[in-house]
Amino acid sequence: MNATTLLTERYVDALAYAARLHRSQVRKGSGVPYLAHLLSVSELVLEHGGSEDQAIAALLHDSVEDQGGAATRAEIAARFGEHVACLVDGCTDTDQMPKPPWQQRKDDYLAHLEHADPEVLLISLSDKLHNARSVLDDYREQGEAVWERFKGGRAGTLWYFRALADIFARRGHPVLTAELERVVSEIERLVASS
């Protein structure tokens, strides 16, 4: 843990900016405001030694992909600096509209993670861990219906989580990687027993 990371007005500004960008967005299937996910990812980054720039990028990690593409990326760079914009780039699987096919995006993102900067890896791992936790919780409540919300369906989503866990096992933060492995294994176990 990095006890010296202090948050400044930049973080407060990023939080307000993220809230504005994502105010009408909710998590797939749950209806939870999307901002809750962004806050959770930023919290994980901070708890595991991330810098303020990483915590800001965690708040904004889906902004380019979901809320405006290149124009949003340019605004992030202008408001929070090129370093934050580059971190967001590293967490973005596409800024194209319409988005390329799901499998292509996931394959490309997995290949990117094999060589991504450690600062990006912490943000991405925090994002994927929170996503996996949400899927596990939702699977426990909804069962097989949970897969209907994902473009990859059950097989694709399980494949992607396993591929992420394997890459992060080689490259990620040890504590977060162990937690991701635990959550993904639990999802796999529940699915296999259903």
Side-chain angles (χ1 to χ4, degrees):
M1 186 164 100
N2 185 358
T4 61
T5 298
L6 298 177
L7 301 177
T8 67
E9 282 299 311
R10 286 177 70 239
Y11 186 86
V12 174
D13 291 345
L15 179 56
Y17 180 65
R20 279 194 304 279
L21 283 177
H22 297 276
R23 69 177 160 249
S24 62
Q25 191 177 355
V26 295
R27 296 283 279 172
K28 291 178 183 176
S30 70
V32 172
Y34 203 78
L35 187 60
H37 169 64
L38 303 176
L39 288 166
S40 294
V41 175
S42 188
E43 173 261 335
L44 286 168
V45 165
L46 287 168
E47 281 190 354
H48 294 280
S51 67
E52 183 177 45
D53 276 2
Q54 286 173 290
I56 290 170
L59 290 172
L60 303 174
H61 76 272
D62 281 333
S63 297
V64 171
E65 188 173 321
D66 294 340
Q67 301 296 330
T72 299
R73 196 257 186 229
E75 188 170 356
I76 289 168
R79 292 177 73 133
F80 305 107
E82 186 61 29
H83 183 240
V84 169
C86 287
L87 294 173
V88 171
D89 290 342
C91 296
T92 302
D93 76 5
T94 188
D95 62 357
Q96 298 175 23
M97 284 300 177
K99 291 181 178 183
W102 182 86
Q103 187 69 51
Q104 176 189 336
R105 288 195 335 265
K106 300 314 174 193
D107 286 339
D108 291 348
Y109 192 73
L110 292 168
H112 157 72
L113 288 177
E114 291 286 2
H115 307 285
D117 183 277
E119 286 186 292
V120 168
L121 289 174
L122 177 60
I123 301 163
S124 181
L125 175 53
S126 297
D127 172 37
K128 303 318 181 200
L129 174 57
H130 187 258
N131 286 341
R133 286 174 172 169
S134 296
V135 168
L136 177 59
D137 289 347
D138 290 349
Y139 187 82
R140 286 178 172 146
E141 287 183 19
Q142 302 167 18
E144 289 295 308
V146 76
W147 307 119
E148 295 170 12
R149 71 177 81 152
F150 296 107
K151 284 188 171 60
R154 180 172 88 167
T157 304
L158 291 172
W159 162 81
Y160 188 53
F161 277 138
R162 173 48 54 204
L164 288 164
D166 292 347
I167 289 171
F168 287 122
R170 293 190 304 277
R171 302 212 60 226
H173 185 285
V175 173
L176 289 174
T177 295
E179 177 65 5
L180 180 63
E181 176 60 37
R182 186 192 69 73
V183 172
V184 170
S185 293
E186 180 64 7
I187 295 170
E188 291 169 336
R189 185 191 69 75
L190 288 172
V191 168
S193 67
S194 66

